[in-house]
Amino acid sequence: MHTVLRSLSMKPFSSLSQTHATSPSQARLPRLPVPELKRTLQRYIKSLHPFLQEDEAKGGPNAKGAVALRTQWAEDFEKGLGSICQSRLQALDKASPNNWLDDNIWLKKVYHEWRAPLLVNSNWWLTFMNDPTVPAAVLSGKEENSIGNTGITSWQIRRATWLVHRLLDFRERLQRQQVYPETTKTGIWLQTSINRLFNISRLPRSGCDTFSSLPPSDSPFARSLLVSARDWFYAVEVIDSGHNPIVPRELEKRLNAVVLDVSHRISIGEAAVPISVLTTDCRDRWAENQQHLLSLSTCNRATLEAINNSLIALSLDHYTYHLSSLSGNSDSSIRLNSQEEVDAHLHNIRSSHPTHPGRNRWYDKPFTFIVESNTRAGAMGEHSIVDALAPSIMAEYAIVEGIDHAEFDTLSSGAQTGATYNAGWRRLDWVVDDHIRDECVAAEARARAIAEDSDDSVLWFNDYGAEWVQAEAKLSPDGYVQMCLQLAWYRTQGCFTATYETALTRLFHKGRTETIRTFSSESRAWVLAMDDPSTLALTRYKLLQAAVAAHSHFTRAAATGRGIDRHLLGLRCMLQPGETHEIFQDELYARSQTWKLSTSGLSAGPSFRGTGFGSPEHDGYGINYLVGPDMIKFGIESKHSCPHTSTKEFKHTVASALRDMQKLCSCAISSQL
C-alpha cells in the first residue's frame, strides 16, 4: 500500500466513472459516506496511544501528556481548519458522480501520481496449483516436446487454452447472473470489479497516469486475447462476432498457430525487440518512450491500441524457471513442491526470468495469465484498476477444474509442420529505432536491479489453520494471524511498527479499501506479555483475546466507512496553499502511516500455491496470506539490500510464533477446564 502525496490542491479527477458504464443495480449499494470529523479524530488519537506508550517506555515523553497535547490539536482542528476542510470534502462529494474518494483522490494520489515502476512495487502476483490432468513427467521437466524451436510446448498451450476458456466462461456466467448475481451486495461489488479488468490498460503519462478508453463494441480487438511469446505480441480472437466464446479446440488451434509463427520467425533469424521491458520502467520514463514509439509509425499506434483494447493478456514463457538454473546446476529436473521450486514459480510470475526480467509481459494490463513450458501457471496484474481479491476470485474459477480433454482434439507430440492455421489471429508488431533499442537495454537493467533486490518467498504453515483457531482458540482467524505478525515483527526487530491491513469497503457503491491499523495498545500489551516469562499463560491468553477483539472492532469500522486513513487523506487534500495544521505537521502523523508491515488477507486459497506484493518500505515487509481450514500460506516480500530485514528469518519467526500461540491457547484453555 502506497500513499504518496505531491500537490495537495484538488481538482475533480475522472477515471473509471467515465470509462465504464454503471449498472442500474449498483444503486442498491449506498454511497460511501464522508465520516464524521469528530469521530475520525477520536479514533486517530486512540490509534496513536501505542506509539506514545512505546516512546515513553524507551525514555521519551510521558505518554499521557503527549496524548493530551495531540487531543488539544485535534479539538482545535475540529473547531477551525478541520471544519472548513470537512465542508470542502462534503461539497466535493456532492459534486462527484460516485463518491468523494474514488472519483477524486484514491487513484490519483495513491497510484497514478506515484512515479515508481510497477514491477514489484505496485503489481500483484499469484501462483496456481498444478493441473491434476498434466502428466508428472511434463510437470517435472522430463518431457518437454518443444513446438519447433520455440521452447513452448503442446501441454503448455493446452493448459493456457483451458485457463482462458474457463475465465471467459466465468465472465459470461457473471454477465448472465448465473454466478454472484446482483441480487446480493457481494454480487454487485464483484460485477463492478470484474468488469473493470477487461479491455483496458493503465497508460503512462508525465506526472500522473490514466486509463485507456473502452474500445467500441464492434472493434475486433475488444474480443481478442493479447498473447506474448518470445517477446512478440499477437492478438488472438477468443470471442466471435456474435459475442460467443471460441470453443477450446478452436482456441488451441489458434494458439498453436501463433507459436508456429514464432518458430518461423526464429528460423529466419528474426529477434523481437523486447518492448515490454519499457512497461517496467519508472512511469515518466515509460511515458516518454511510449510517445517516442508512437511518433515513429502509425503501426505502433495501432499495436498499442490493440494491446490496450484487448480483453486480458496471456504470456507463454519458453522455459520453466527453477532457482538451480542460476547456480550452474546441470540437473534440469524439477523437484515439485520443494521450497526452491515453489519460490522459483513465484519469482517468474512476479518479474519473469531473472536473466531477462520484465520480458514477455505487459505490466500495464490488469490481468495476465502466465504459463511456463511445463504448464506451471499464475497471474499478475496492474493494481490501480481494482483490488486483488476480485481477480483472485476469477482466477480461482479458472483453475478449480482441471483440463477437460474431451473438449480438445488429440494433443500433438511436440514439433509441428505444415501450413500455418491463419484464422483468428494477427501479429502486433513494432517499428523501432536505435533509441528504443537502447532504452530497452537500459530499462531491462533497471528491472533486473528491482527483481534481484526482491527477497520473495512462500511459507506453507500446515500445523493447523482456521478450523483450529475458531473451534479451539475461539478467536477470529484473521485477527489471530495479524497478532502473529505483530509478534514476529517484535521478535525480529525489538520494536513495534505501524501496520497496514486492507479492509474492503465493498458495502458501498464504488467502494475500494480502507486501512485497518493493527498495531494497537491491546496488541502491544499482548506482544510484550508473550516475551515476559513472569506473565501467566492465562493472562497472556486474555490479552490475546483483547487484542483480537480490538482488531475485530477496527475491521468493522473500516469496512463500514468509519475508518481513519482515507478520511484523513481526504481532509489533507482539501488544504489550500498556505494552509497547515499541527495535526499534519506532527512527526507521529507520518510515523503512524509508515507501513513497515503492509499486509493483506486474500482467501482460503486452496487453488493457489502462493501470492505476493512488494513491501512499500525499504526496511519492511509486504505480506499476503491465505488462511485455509488446516493450512496458512504466506507470501512475504522484503529487500535483499536492507540489512534489517530477511524474508527467510521472518518466515521462521512467523512459524515459531504460530506454534507458540497454539501452545498458549491450548494451555490457557485447559487450565480453565
Side-chain angles (χ1 to χ4, degrees), residues 286-588:
W286 170 215
E288 292 174 7
N289 283 322
Q290 187 178 105
Q291 290 305 307
H292 184 77
L293 272 170
L294 295 178
S295 73
L296 294 178
S297 171
T298 55
C299 171
N300 291 347
R301 190 171 297 277
T303 291
L304 182 62
E305 182 180 356
I307 288 172
N308 294 336
N309 289 350
S310 63
L311 283 159
I312 60 164
L314 166 66
S315 296
L316 297 172
D317 288 341
H318 63 281
Y319 57 83
T320 297
Y321 171 57
H322 49 119
L323 296 178
S324 59
S325 64
L326 291 182
S327 63
N329 189 341
S330 60
D331 181 12
S332 62
S333 63
I334 299 167
R335 297 189 301 278
L336 292 175
N337 297 319
S338 65
Q339 184 72 61
E340 180 185 73
E341 188 265 331
V342 173
D343 283 350
H345 186 192
L346 195 75
H347 294 177
N348 188 62
I349 301 301
R350 176 201 66 198
S351 51
S352 194
H353 198 289
T355 61
H356 45 72
R359 291 198 180 192
N360 214 45
R361 312 277 189 269
W362 197 262
Y363 284 84
D364 290 341
K365 290 297 284 184
F367 191 93
T368 300
F369 275 131
I370 300 164
V371 187
E372 295 176 77
S373 61
N374 75 332
T375 75
R376 208 165 57 180
M380 174 270 296
E382 197 280 312
H383 206 163
S384 71
I385 193 83
V386 71
D387 299 294
L389 180 59
S392 76
I393 292 171
M394 186 169 69
E396 187 158 28
Y397 183 92
I399 59 181
V400 72
E401 288 187 9
I403 300 168
D404 182 357
H405 295 279
E407 295 283 345
F408 296 87
D409 294 332
T410 303
L411 190 72
S412 62
S413 60
Q416 300 178 21
T417 58
T420 301
Y421 187 79
N422 290 317
W425 63 274
R426 69 181 75 182
R427 292 179 177 181
L428 299 176
D429 289 336
W430 299 97
V431 174
V432 302
D433 60 5
D434 288 342
H435 173 73
I436 288 297
R437 291 187 182 93
D438 291 343
E439 284 296 298
C440 287
V441 172
E444 187 170 314
R446 288 187 286 272
R448 181 174 294 106
I450 293 172
E452 288 180 350
D453 195 32
S454 180
D455 186 3
D456 187 25
S457 185
V458 172
L459 168 63
W460 287 4
F461 181 82
N462 54 17
D463 288 19
Y464 63 94
E467 284 186 356
W468 184 89
V469 175
Q470 290 175 309
E472 302 298 328
K474 311 294 184 185
L475 295 168
S476 157
D478 185 70
Y480 187 92
V481 170
Q482 284 291 324
M483 293 311 115
C484 164
L485 297 176
Q486 291 293 300
L487 182 58
W489 174 271
Y490 185 79
R491 286 179 171 177
T492 55
Q493 301 292 327
C495 63
F496 294 94
T497 187
T499 303
Y500 179 101
E501 183 189 358
T502 304
L504 291 176
T505 52
R506 62 186 184 186
L507 297 176
F508 302 98
H509 177 55
K510 296 281 186 172
R512 287 287 298 262
T513 64
E514 178 58 271
T515 307
I516 304 168
R517 292 192 169 203
T518 298
F519 178 45
S520 64
S521 295
E522 292 84 357
S523 69
R524 176 179 177 271
W526 172 72
V527 167
L528 292 174
M530 283 297 289
D531 286 351
D532 178 2
S534 67
T535 305
L536 298 175
L538 184 58
T539 301
R540 290 175 178 172
Y541 177 66
K542 289 181 177 178
L543 288 171
L544 176 58
Q545 286 179 310
V548 172
H551 176 269
S552 296
H553 174 75
F554 303 149
T555 301
R556 284 192 297 273
T560 54
R562 295 175 289 124
I564 299 169
D565 290 279
R566 303 297 181 267
H567 191 196
L568 290 177
L569 172 62
L571 292 169
R572 192 179 176 200
C573 287
M574 293 302 101
L575 292 172
Q576 298 293 329
E579 294 179 341
T580 187
H581 195 274
E582 290 90 343
I583 203 166
F584 296 124
Q585 293 177 314
D586 181 14
E587 64 86 21
L588 203 52

Side-chain angles (χ1 to χ4, degrees), residues 14 20 93 163 183 210 335 396 439 517 530 567 672:
S14 60
H20 286 264
D93 183 50
L163 288 172
T183 54
T210 187
R335 297 189 301 278
E396 187 158 28
E439 284 296 298
R517 292 192 169 203
M530 283 297 289
H567 191 196
Q672 293 179 299

Side-chain angles (χ1 to χ4, degrees), residues 625-670:
Y625 54 89
L626 307 150
V627 186
D630 53 10
M631 176 185 284
I632 307 172
K633 300 172 189 172
F634 296 86
I636 302 174
E637 200 273 348
S638 63
K639 309 303 178 193
H640 285 295
S641 59
C642 178
H644 307 299
T645 57
S646 163
T647 294
K648 182 178 180 180
E649 179 186 358
F650 198 74
K651 283 170 53 181
H652 173 79
T653 308
V654 165
S656 176
L658 285 169
R659 294 187 182 102
D660 287 350
M661 291 170 72
Q662 185 181 39
K663 290 177 184 177
L664 165 67
C665 294
S666 298
C667 179
I669 292 170
S670 63

